[in-house]
Amino acid sequence: SLRDSLYQLMYATEGTDESGTRIEDYSPGHIGLRRFFAALNNRQKLNRPVRIGFLGDSFIEGAIMVADLRSFMQKEFGGSGVGLVPITSVTAQFRPTIDNKADGWKTWSMLNDHDHDYVLPGTLFEPNKEKATVSMKNTNRYPELPQVSSVKLIYEMNRNTEMELVINNGADTLRRALPPTNKISQNVWLGDVSEAEYNFTRTEGFRVLGVALEDESGVVVDNFSLRGNSGLILDRFDIERSKELSEVRPYDLIILQYGLNVVSPGMLDYGWYEPRMVKTIDHLQDCFPAADILLLSVTDRSHQVDGRFETMPEVLATVHAQRRLAKRAAIPFWNMFGAMGGENSMVRFVENNWASKDYTHFSFRGGRELANALMKALLLEKEFYDEAEKTVH
């Protein structure tokens, strides 16, 4: 009750925030981001980075919005590097945060495969020939990217694979047999890294999640985008596999950005979507019990009416449904639609070249606007958390 009264005193309002200025925390006592903020405040003692998993659809492909949020977070709280990168993806050619090349791999995706057990990032990679390679080279598009202090191979199955790791174009080379395992494991190389190349042989029975380039302190933000994903398939994450991942790669915050693939022209009732997404969020909490979960609303999306572009009414209905399901799931919610400027704001974004002419997807510049707004909202919420902790204790 003390936290409730502080919450109302600080914000002088109850209920929704149509401006997207602040996080709407629907957890009892407004502690929905408590573990995340506690990790930030105690990051010097963690012996690992504070880790955020940013899950979404094509809206965050290529690290749109995520790259800037990562940069803002690392400027504020330290850390560097792009985090966990899949072996290959549809965005590998235009992603500005990492130069990624791979050869000899088959991709499995939970979007169309039901035969494997999935966890973050929702994709798996198996060599489809005797020798498989993957290289990751840091870019300088953001000041926190060019140099990191570790490179990690995250894999979930191995029989007798031989690994060669070439660091910084030959400055260091490591050759070793990876230990046999049926659990999610990681191979860690510590030292200054700007470029890493893996070569694998004897690859039968080898399955990989990805490669992480990051510091061992500060903040890491992993970008997990799956094109065409409504978010509902996350209820298929395997709980045991998730716990295995958390042992080697614990997450403090999971951000959910979905909705573009839920909005359907002509559909204004999303009552079917709410209970299914609440069930999905409950499942995520079972998979990652140590992580806080933050739900983002859908952004504005326009259609043409009498020659003018206007907000689709289905977008307003989806935002309403997402806020309601956040209340039912008792988790924090951020109104991204409001942060854009609300109704018809997509028109301004397109005019500014902040969004594409499909009036749906953002450019990197538009993503930066939203990342900046989310960073401000998180820092504002952290102020409340820090103040409430002082008062309660």
Side-chain angles (χ1 to χ4, degrees):
S1 63
L2 182 55
R3 293 181 71 95
D4 279 340
S5 60
L6 276 168
Y7 202 76
Q8 290 176 29
L9 181 67
M10 285 188 70
Y11 293 129
T13 183
E14 290 186 51
T16 64
D17 172 28
E18 298 308 330
S19 69
T21 304
R22 63 178 178 86
I23 307 290
E24 301 169 34
D25 188 349
Y26 294 113
S27 66
H30 309 289
I31 56 170
L33 295 174
R34 187 177 197 172
R35 284 169 293 202
F36 173 56
F37 292 144
L40 285 176
N41 286 340
N42 296 299
R43 62 191 183 280
Q44 311 296 348
K45 303 173 187 171
L46 275 184
N47 294 320
R48 65 167 179 85
V50 178
R51 191 169 283 112
I52 301 170
F54 202 125
L55 283 68
D57 52 29
S58 58
F59 181 82
I60 60 167
E61 268 188 346
I64 288 176
M65 184 179 177
V66 180
D68 286 291
L69 179 66
R70 180 190 295 122
S71 181
F72 294 146
M73 278 281 174
Q74 290 175 340
K75 278 188 181 78
E76 184 76 20
F77 299 107
S80 64
V82 69
L84 181 58
V85 180
I87 295 297
T88 186
S89 74
V90 293
T91 66
Q93 300 308 310
F94 68 85
R95 187 172 47 209
T97 50
I98 193 86
D99 286 336
N100 169 211
K101 293 180 181 148
D103 181 61
W105 299 89
K106 176 176 176 56
T107 301
W108 299 97
S109 169
M110 67 186 301
L111 280 171
N112 47 34
D113 168 52
H114 291 261
D115 296 329
H116 294 84
D117 294 329
Y118 284 94
V119 68
L120 298 175
T123 49
L124 294 167
F125 304 89
E126 289 181 350
N128 58 10
K129 58 185 186 182
E130 170 53 24
K131 184 176 181 183
T133 66
V134 60
S135 66
M136 303 277 180
K137 184 177 180 182
N138 294 333
T139 71
N140 60 4
R141 287 285 293 274
Y142 293 85
E144 301 80 19
L145 292 180
Q147 198 80 9
V148 295
S149 61
S150 77
V151 59
K152 300 164 184 166
L153 173 72
I154 317 292
Y155 57 101
E156 69 158 25
M157 191 170 81
N158 180 52
R159 288 184 197 162
N160 56 2
T161 300
E162 300 280 345
M163 178 193 80
E164 178 187 69
L165 171 59
V166 181
I167 297 292
N168 301 338
N169 204 24
D172 281 289
T173 301
L174 170 71
R175 294 180 183 87
R176 65 169 297 188
L178 292 174
T181 185
N182 285 310
K183 288 181 61 176
I184 291 180
S185 307
Q186 65 177 355
N187 175 268
V188 181
W189 191 92
L190 297 175
D192 292 337
V193 183
S194 58
E195 184 176 354
E197 177 185 334
Y198 288 92
N199 300 296
F200 301 103
T201 52
R202 302 175 68 185
T203 55
E204 187 179 351
F206 186 44
R207 193 181 300 145
V208 181
L209 277 73
V211 174
L213 292 105
E214 60 198 21
D215 265 2
E216 293 299 282
S217 60
V219 177
V220 168
V221 183
D222 292 341
N223 178 22
F224 300 131
S225 64
L226 279 180
R227 185 180 292 183
N229 185 7
S230 69
L232 295 174
I233 63 170
L234 303 182
D235 69 355
R236 286 173 37 218
F237 276 163
D238 186 81
I239 291 178
E240 287 310 309
R241 280 288 195 220
S242 299
K243 289 179 179 173
E244 290 171 12
L245 178 65
S246 295
E247 283 180 25
V248 298
R249 194 167 184 80
Y251 286 87
D252 301 289
L253 174 65
I254 293 174
I255 299 175
L256 304 177
Q257 171 277 310
Y258 295 105
L260 287 180
N261 298 289
V262 177
V263 174
S264 301
M267 181 184 289
L268 293 173
D269 183 0
Y270 292 90
W272 61 271
Y273 167 69
E274 290 176 39
R276 288 185 60 191
M277 196 63 192
V278 169
K279 180 171 169 278
T280 297
I281 290 167
D282 288 345
H283 181 71
L284 279 175
Q285 289 171 325
D286 289 339
C287 289
F288 300 99
D292 292 329
I293 295 178
L294 169 64
L295 178 68
L296 310 188
S297 83
V298 71
T299 49
D300 190 24
R301 181 177 169 191
S302 300
H303 65 166
Q304 213 164 1
V305 180
D306 298 329
R308 294 177 53 201
F309 281 95
E310 297 178 358
T311 293
M312 294 172 63
E314 297 85 355
V315 167
L316 297 170
T318 304
V319 173
H320 184 52
Q322 289 176 316
R323 179 180 277 116
R324 275 201 315 242
L325 74 87
K327 288 180 182 177
R328 287 174 64 174
I331 62 168
F333 172 79
W334 185 56
N335 185 359
M336 199 154 52
F337 175 81
M340 281 182 69
E343 218 163 330
N344 299 325
S345 54
M346 179 55 81
V347 174
R348 179 174 66 91
F349 270 65
V350 172
E351 287 171 351
N352 289 345
N353 292 320
W354 295 353
S356 64
K357 293 214 163 51
D358 66 357
Y359 286 80
T360 301
H361 292 90
F362 283 64
S363 67
F364 279 95
R365 182 65 184 80
R368 184 177 179 82
E369 288 293 307
L370 280 179
N372 186 44
L374 176 55
M375 184 69 182
K376 287 179 178 175
L378 284 168
L379 290 176
L380 187 63
E381 191 69 8
K382 185 174 180 298
E383 275 182 43
F384 163 72
Y385 167 82
D386 291 342
E387 191 59 36
E389 285 302 288
K390 279 188 227 165
T391 307
V392 171
H393 294 299

